[in-house]
Amino acid sequence: IPELFSGSRTHSSDRTMDLGLAEDHFSRPVGSFVASDIEQLKLAIEECKKLILELPENSERQKDTVVKLIHLRLKLQELKDPEEDEPNLRILLEHRFSKEKSKSVKQTCDKCSAIIWGLIQTWYTCTGCYYRCHSKCMNLITKPCVRSKVSHQSEYELSICPEIGLDRQDYRCAECRTPISLRGVPSEARQCDYTGQYYCSTCHWNDTAIIPARVIHNWEFESRKVCRSSLRYLALMMSRPVLKLKEINPLLFNFVEELVEIRKLRQDILLMKPYFITCKEAMEARLLLQLQDRQHFVENDDMYSLQDLIDISSGRLSCSLTEIHTTFAKHIKLDCERCQAKGFVCELCKEGDILFPFDSHTSVCHDCSAVFHRDCYYDNSTTCPRCARMTERKQDEVSDVKNA
């Protein structure tokens, strides 16, 4: 063991600290401790730790000793051969943990809150909710996978910070039941703005997220502090269209002009959809796939995801959807003869160009879907000509049946 620290050398003031360029610390260093026995390596590591604490702070020798400690730990990990001992996939509490091969040291264990040292530690990530933890922490996990909650209960808490009080929680963390208090004894109580409940510092890391209830009721997009489980749940729910604004808060359309604009664009796209699904050129060009990230836009005009509302507030959605709307209209009205042939002529004035239901200056009959100039439709006090013909035809058919 004394040989481990015998190879000290002097350094100039401009000593290079780049571990990747100055030295090769991942090969066996000359003059250092050589051991193949795991117990001897563990003993050497402990001695190295003690020496680091005894040496002057930020001294060159202390820095060299830290480097050698890293080397010893890498050697110990190599001898343990975790690649063979640890399975690639583990299933626990509906989590599907996959062993990570990344050597990044920027991750944090969601169980013990310690840094994951990818170079010397085996760690796993849940493929469903992205819960990360050390291999050694796997058997201590008590939190089920959040994705299962998303699958079985795809809805938001729509009350703003529904607090119930620490007394209703029996002064315990709402998740792990650790004793907590606002005074921080024995553990600090941290409130989650999404659930309104209080959590310990292990379950609540002061992460922030946009709260759906504040967006819907106040059109407020400021990030608030949430617990870890709420953070994952909100992240998984971000793109799910589960918000029916006209039922939750219909008055929002009276105060947010951008929402009215987006609703009109979505209604127009729904009117364009029948043209595309019956057009060979549109199917080959896969025009509708331009909305594949917002599939609900081609299914209805009243469901929104939280990401939709965030993009509406920032103006991104208006720009992208207007561009798509222009592309769709150009195909129907200019580029495709088959789609043009499905247009309408105003039967009230019988003048003007071919009309389409998504044109801004037209109105559509709610009964027969015939298209007219808006001015003609509202100025005409009589019934729709097409509806009148259809009614007359039905009456003729009924009379023919009676005569027969």
Side-chain angles (χ1 to χ4, degrees), residues 370-388:
V371 181
F372 308 92
H373 290 115
R374 178 173 298 171
D375 294 339
C376 297
Y377 188 72
Y378 287 107
D379 290 344
N380 190 346
S381 59
T382 60
T383 59
C384 167
R386 188 177 181 186
C387 289

Side-chain angles (χ1 to χ4, degrees), residues 85-189:
D85 295 339
E86 301 288 350
N88 290 324
L89 181 66
R90 298 178 66 175
I91 300 177
L92 180 67
L93 295 175
E94 298 186 345
H95 291 282
R96 291 181 62 86
F97 285 107
S98 175
K99 185 165 68 173
E100 292 290 349
K101 298 181 180 179
S102 171
K103 301 303 181 182
S104 170
V105 297
K106 296 182 180 180
Q107 307 296 341
T108 304
C109 177
D110 283 305
K111 178 57 187 175
C112 67
S113 304
I115 294 176
I116 298 175
W117 297 94
L119 287 172
I120 59 176
Q121 293 176 321
T122 305
W123 59 293
Y124 287 81
T125 299
C126 175
T127 57
C129 66
Y130 308 107
Y131 186 99
R132 301 182 182 92
C133 69
H134 296 104
S135 173
K136 63 181 181 181
C137 298
M138 292 282 287
N139 295 329
L140 303 176
I141 295 175
T142 58
K143 304 173 184 177
C145 182
V146 177
R147 183 169 287 277
S148 62
K149 179 181 177 182
V150 173
S151 301
H152 298 115
Q153 182 185 354
S154 294
E155 57 184 20
Y156 286 116
E157 170 59 60
L158 296 180
S159 298
I160 297 177
C161 195
E163 181 180 0
I164 60 174
L166 267 175
D167 56 336
R168 293 281 298 277
Q169 294 182 209
D170 197 24
Y171 293 91
R172 293 181 179 273
C173 172
E175 191 162 327
C176 68
R177 307 305 295 167
T178 298
I180 56 176
S181 73
L182 294 176
R183 295 182 177 181
V185 180
S187 180
E188 178 189 5

Side-chain angles (χ1 to χ4, degrees), residues 263-278 288 297-301 325 328 332 342 344 356-360 362-365 369 371:
R263 181 174 61 182
K264 180 61 171 67
L265 290 173
R266 292 182 62 177
Q267 290 171 346
D268 288 350
I269 288 173
L270 289 177
L271 294 172
M272 296 177 186
K273 180 180 176 181
Y275 290 85
F276 295 146
I277 61 179
T278 57
L288 289 176
F297 278 19
V298 296
E299 296 173 353
N300 57 71
D301 64 353
H325 182 280
F328 287 2
I332 295 173
K342 298 174 185 176
F344 294 80
F356 294 90
F358 50 84
D359 287 333
S360 59
T362 61
S363 292
V364 180
C365 176
S369 300
V371 181

Side-chain angles (χ1 to χ4, degrees), residues 258-402:
E258 295 88 344
L259 276 175
V260 178
E261 179 187 356
I262 295 299
R263 181 174 61 182
K264 180 61 171 67
L265 290 173
R266 292 182 62 177
Q267 290 171 346
D268 288 350
I269 288 173
L270 289 177
L271 294 172
M272 296 177 186
K273 180 180 176 181
Y275 290 85
F276 295 146
I277 61 179
T278 57
C279 175
K280 181 180 179 182
E281 288 79 3
M283 297 298 288
E284 291 177 351
R286 298 185 176 183
L287 291 178
L288 289 176
L289 285 182
Q290 295 186 35
L291 288 169
Q292 60 181 344
D293 293 335
R294 304 182 198 267
Q295 186 66 31
H296 52 289
F297 278 19
V298 296
E299 296 173 353
N300 57 71
D301 64 353
D302 56 357
M303 300 300 292
Y304 294 82
S305 67
L306 182 59
Q307 187 63 58
D308 292 338
L309 302 182
I310 294 173
D311 291 342
I312 290 173
S313 176
S314 66
R316 289 194 299 266
L317 183 56
S318 178
C319 294
S320 61
L321 200 58
T322 299
E323 184 177 347
I324 292 173
H325 182 280
T326 302
T327 302
F328 287 2
K330 181 175 178 292
H331 171 85
I332 295 173
K333 302 177 69 172
L334 299 176
D335 298 342
C336 180
E337 293 183 357
R338 293 184 182 181
C339 292
Q340 291 178 37
K342 298 174 185 176
F344 294 80
V345 174
C346 179
E347 295 188 40
L348 296 174
C349 68
K350 298 181 181 179
E351 296 178 358
D353 299 330
I354 299 175
L355 305 179
F356 294 90
F358 50 84
D359 287 333
S360 59
H361 61 285
T362 61
S363 292
V364 180
C365 176
H366 298 292
D367 296 323
C368 68
S369 300
V371 181
F372 308 92
H373 290 115
R374 178 173 298 171
D375 294 339
C376 297
Y377 188 72
Y378 287 107
D379 290 344
N380 190 346
S381 59
T382 60
T383 59
C384 167
R386 188 177 181 186
C387 289
R389 288 198 307 272
M390 293 173 64
T391 303
E392 184 179 353
R393 187 180 304 168
K394 288 181 180 180
Q395 291 175 350
D396 291 342
E397 290 175 357
V398 172
S399 61
D400 290 342
V401 171
K402 290 182 178 180

Side-chain angles (χ1 to χ4, degrees), residues 110 129-131 146 228-237:
D110 283 305
C129 66
Y130 308 107
Y131 186 99
V146 177
R228 295 294 291 175
S229 59
S230 294
L231 182 70
R232 293 192 195 90
Y233 183 77
L234 292 173
L236 292 174
M237 288 285 290

Side-chain angles (χ1 to χ4, degrees), residues 69-84:
L69 175 62
I70 294 174
H71 172 77
L72 287 172
R73 283 181 167 172
L74 287 172
K75 183 63 179 176
L76 178 62
Q77 191 73 11
E78 179 183 344
L79 290 178
K80 288 183 176 181
D81 196 12
E83 297 296 328
E84 294 183 4

